[in-house]
Amino acid sequence: MTTQQVSLIAPLASPLPPAPEGEVFTKSQWTTLMAIADTTIPSIEVSSSPSTTDKLSVQASVYTTAIDKVKSVLPADTHPDLAQNFLKENASSVKGFKELLHRTLGDYINQDARKGLSVVLSALDTRAGCLLLTGSTTSFHLQPVHRREQILLNWAGSYLPPLRQIYKSLTSIFKSIWLKTSPTIGPVVGFPRVPVHGKLGKGFEYDFLQIPPGSGEEVIETDVVIVGSGCGGAVVAKNLAEAGNRVIVVDKGYHYRPEHLPMTEADAGIHLFMNGGLESSDDNSIVVIAGQTWGGGGTVNWSASLQTQGFVRKEWADAGLPFFTSSEYQNSLDRVCQRMGVSAEHLEHNKANRVILEGARLLGYSCKAVPQNTGGNKHYCGYCTSGCHAVEKQGPVVSFLPDAAKAGAHFVEGLQVERVLFEAREGKKVATGVKGVWTSRDSTGGVSGSDKTIRQVIIKAKRVIVSAGTLQTPLLLLRSGLKNPHIGRNLHLHPAMTIGATFDEETRPWEGGILTTVCDELQNLSGTGHGTKLEAVTMLPSWFLTQLPWTGGRDYKLRCLQFPHHLGFISLVRDRDPGRVYPDPLDGRCRIQYTPSAFDTHHAMAGLLALAQITY
């Protein structure tokens, strides 16, 4: 077996944890919901009669044109029936589609949104409700597919915001889940399951603390407990452990060895990201992507390692934090970069990043290479969003956490910290540890089985460090009884807008380092440190193709065929106007109140216009 063949062997499976128990919706609601899904992703057949309720009927000439378009992009040596199967496939026919949809709506959508959707689904199965929402008294699922398509498009252009929101939310969810579960989309566009560049690396052998079965609280004592294993917590763990402290790092997420990476897009969303990758603001104006696995965001980020700009450091110092303009802060940045081998000396830009470099040069825009945390090595992958199998990206799991372990630190995965513990000492409230629920792996070493140990755990410590990320840290502090009104406020998210470009030549957008250049010409549009950066974006199918417009099921499938010729870019804004994170009043989960302001949206749009000029 050749080295190339070895590198293309699929990663080990990572079975998902159990789906939510019980039915999220009633049987009739599911029937209506799947009818909407099969309208978004329809089965396409030849027929001169109107569409049936389960297939989108088209004229023979239209079907032949569609088949020819599919065949024109098929890679060599594909199955002769692949083009027909691609058009025939609808959401209901895809194994795993409904299961992932059930998990998404049951686990990752807040109760208010789920109740609102239930009301709409029920209304679409009544004469009065259907007349109001569709213009017909016939239940939605009994109407032909071509009529249902027009209903969705009517919702998209409705003067009623709730209908526009239903169209946007449902079509986006259905597109995303189809792209993650479809057996045909990858082979049709030539997207390989694993990177064709790079090979499997050897990861660090972690030895996580295991807690025996029992009925009472398990109590552990240490000097320092750190909540969160991401980029902040991992660096602190290394430094404190190397200084001689007894350190325990705990995280809700689990560690996945390189043999499991990169995961499929369906599995990565559940195992590696917070809330299945579907965390969104209350008004759905923005989707927030946050890592939630061992290593945090450092496990799923794109290797880019840019240091804090001078005008940002000055702004922070002027706000009362002089450390950020000190040489000590710069030395800290340099030490972190040195440990990760941050460098721009071994870059090989892919097509998207070459387009930014050349377009910016022709326009006279400031543009530069982005240093990568790849240990001074070339890293030409493109799949890092789903985990790095090559062990080249020097995130926390590869660098700082192993350093901490070698200095004596201990680790706990699968620990959901419920609150920080406090004691009153000399009239002051002092943190003395954390309390949470630990869930072990199952007997196979995964998280999908039911034979797991669940224990209440208390970790007593002289120092407690909370580094659970922008979204979870405020919630933990609030659960712990802290009352400062600023907790959860001043939330900045660096909102991004995406633009796509289609090229005559094949771009193979999923190959190569994801973010290796940045155009910073517009980073200070306001003159006060607010503006936008122009960058390339990850090009996994469900991350990019979900954003293509939906104007009908056939049109959407045919648009997806251009994926091998696409490139994606983002206008990444340093936002001036913040939002807040707060606990859901019903179940305590993360809720985000954030709407990009007109000021920040203006900067994002300026970036999109600049990107259009760059790509043109």
Side-chain angles (χ1 to χ4, degrees):
M1 185 177 290
T2 67
T3 302
Q4 179 70 6
Q5 287 174 319
V6 171
S7 69
L8 293 178
I9 293 177
L12 297 177
S14 303
L16 299 177
E21 296 182 358
E23 285 296 325
V24 177
F25 299 118
T26 66
K27 183 177 179 180
S28 63
Q29 288 171 343
W30 270 113
T31 298
T32 300
L33 185 65
M34 292 308 296
I36 301 175
D38 286 339
T39 306
T40 307
I41 307 295
S43 176
I44 302 169
E45 67 167 15
V46 177
S47 177
S48 58
S49 61
S51 298
T52 63
T53 59
D54 61 344
K55 293 180 177 63
L56 178 63
S57 298
V58 296
Q59 297 290 334
S61 60
V62 175
Y63 185 83
T64 300
T65 299
I67 281 286
D68 289 343
K69 286 185 178 180
V70 178
K71 290 181 176 179
S72 70
V73 304
L74 292 181
D77 303 322
T78 54
H79 193 281
D81 295 333
L82 181 57
Q84 181 179 350
N85 291 341
F86 175 71
L87 293 180
K88 182 180 179 181
E89 179 178 290
N90 65 2
S92 293
S93 68
V94 174
K95 181 181 179 181
F97 180 94
K98 186 175 179 180
E99 191 278 332
L100 185 54
L101 179 61
H102 179 235
R103 183 186 299 273
T104 298
L105 297 177
D107 282 348
Y108 305 128
I109 303 297
N110 66 66
Q111 292 187 39
D112 289 342
R114 193 159 55 242
K115 289 179 179 177
L117 179 57
S118 296
V119 171
V120 172
L121 295 176
S122 295
L124 288 171
D125 197 26
T126 65
R127 291 174 61 86
C130 227
L131 179 62
L132 178 65
L133 296 174
T134 74
S136 169
T137 57
T138 303
S139 293
F140 183 88
H141 69 279
L142 296 178
Q143 299 190 46
V145 175
H146 75 278
R147 171 60 186 150
R148 301 199 310 241
E149 276 194 339
Q150 188 56 54
I151 291 169
L152 295 188
L153 293 174
N154 289 343
W155 291 353
S158 173
Y159 65 90
L160 297 174
L163 288 182
R164 296 199 302 270
Q165 187 57 57
I166 290 171
Y167 161 84
K168 177 183 176 182
S169 298
L170 289 183
T171 55
S172 294
I173 288 174
F174 295 146
K175 286 186 290 183
S176 176
I177 293 178
W178 174 65
L179 291 164
K180 291 176 179 178
T181 58
S182 168
T184 64
I185 184 64
V188 163
V189 299
F191 175 74
R193 166 66 183 89
V194 294
V196 298
H197 301 281
K199 59 182 180 180
L200 181 67
K202 180 175 175 55
F204 181 74
E205 296 291 339
Y206 284 93
D207 183 17
F208 292 98
L209 293 180
Q210 301 300 311
I211 299 170
S215 57
E217 295 174 339
E218 181 75 9
V219 179
I220 304 171
E221 295 189 3
T222 188
D223 293 332
V224 181
V225 60
I226 301 172
V227 182
S229 62
C231 298
V235 174
V236 173
K238 166 187 167 68
N239 289 338
L240 293 181
E242 290 177 347
N245 295 283
R246 294 178 302 157
V247 174
I248 295 180
V249 181
V250 304
D251 201 294
K252 177 183 178 181
Y254 295 86
H255 172 55
Y256 293 93
R257 295 169 52 85
E259 293 85 352
H260 291 264
L261 306 175
M263 292 186 184
T264 65
E265 293 171 78
D267 291 349
I270 307 301
H271 286 310
L272 305 182
F273 291 91
M274 178 178 166
N275 208 44
L278 285 174
E279 199 66 66
S280 61
S281 59
D282 289 344
D283 64 358
N284 289 300
S285 62
I286 190 168
V287 174
V288 182
I289 308 298
Q292 187 171 278
T293 184
W294 188 249
T299 298
V300 295
N301 68 10
W302 306 340
S303 299
S305 301
L306 291 166
Q307 295 198 5
T308 316
Q309 304 104 306
F311 60 81
V312 176
R313 293 169 62 172
K314 184 178 184 303
E315 179 182 314
W316 293 347
D318 292 344
L321 301 170
F323 171 73
F324 289 106
T325 51
S326 68
S327 59
E328 185 179 356
Y329 176 66
Q330 184 59 51
N331 290 337
S332 297
L333 291 178
D334 293 341
R335 286 177 57 201
V336 169
C337 289
Q338 183 180 21
R339 173 60 186 90
M340 296 189 298
V342 173
S343 171
E345 295 180 1
H346 303 279
L347 292 179
E348 179 182 347
H349 299 296
N350 66 3
K351 174 70 173 179
N353 286 281
R354 293 198 304 272
V355 166
I356 292 178
L357 281 171
E358 180 61 11
R361 184 188 69 83
L362 292 174
L363 292 169
Y365 288 172
S366 171
C367 191
K368 61 184 179 183
V370 174
Q372 308 284 295
N373 68 336
T374 54
N377 300 307
K378 183 179 80 170
H379 185 60
Y380 200 76
C381 170
Y383 286 58
C384 285
T385 310
S386 297
C388 180
H389 75 305
V391 198
E392 292 174 343
K393 181 173 66 176
Q394 301 294 301
V397 171
V398 178
S399 56
F400 295 103
L401 291 171
D403 288 353
K406 293 169 186 175
H410 296 284
F411 306 128
V412 182
E413 61 175 355
L415 179 63
Q416 171 68 58
V417 176
E418 296 176 331
R419 58 191 175 95
V420 177
L421 302 176
F422 294 93
E423 289 182 3
R425 295 179 183 173
E426 299 179 356
K428 294 183 179 180
K429 199 174 186 179
V430 178
T432 59
V434 298
K435 181 178 181 179
V437 177
W438 177 72
T439 304
S440 74
R441 291 176 179 264
D442 59 31
S443 58
T444 68
V447 298
S448 62
S450 59
D451 55 337
K452 291 177 282 195
T453 298
I454 300 176
R455 289 290 306 277
Q456 287 281 340
V457 175
I458 291 177
I459 301 178
K460 296 182 177 181
K462 300 173 184 177
R463 294 287 186 271
V464 178
I465 297 172
V466 179
S467 184
T470 302
L471 301 181
Q472 291 294 341
T473 293
L475 300 186
L476 174 55
L477 298 180
L478 291 171
R479 289 198 302 270
S480 304
L482 298 184
K483 303 297 184 181
N484 190 311
H486 295 290
I487 295 175
R489 297 188 178 275
N490 302 304
L491 174 68
H492 291 274
L493 293 175
H494 289 247
M497 286 189 178
T498 305
I499 188 172
T502 306
F503 292 76
D504 292 333
E505 69 273 18
E506 192 174 76
T507 61
R508 298 185 67 80
W510 52 82
E511 292 185 3
I514 299 170
L515 201 171
T516 60
T517 61
V518 58
C519 176
D520 55 8
E521 178 73 17
L522 308 180
Q523 69 175 339
N524 193 12
L525 289 171
S526 67
T528 57
H530 297 94
T532 187
K533 292 181 179 180
L534 313 180
E535 302 170 343
V537 69
T538 185
M539 289 297 287
L540 301 182
S542 68
W543 284 69
F544 182 78
L545 294 178
T546 299
Q547 300 180 70
L548 295 184
W550 188 90
T551 56
R554 179 179 64 89
D555 291 344
Y556 179 71
K557 283 189 175 182
L558 296 182
R559 281 196 180 101
C560 289
L561 300 179
Q562 300 182 56
F563 186 51
H565 295 260
H566 280 315
L567 292 177
F569 307 93
I570 54 174
S571 172
L572 182 71
V573 174
R574 180 171 183 251
D575 45 339
R576 182 194 68 179
D577 301 315
R580 72 179 181 111
V581 57
Y582 66 99
D584 188 289
L586 296 176
D587 57 19
R589 72 170 66 205
C590 176
R591 295 287 295 268
I592 299 170
Q593 187 180 72
Y594 184 101
T595 303
S597 67
F599 177 88
D600 294 323
T601 301
H602 174 73
H603 291 164
M605 291 301 298
L608 291 185
L609 291 173
L611 281 168
Q613 292 176 308
I614 285 173
T615 55
Y616 182 77

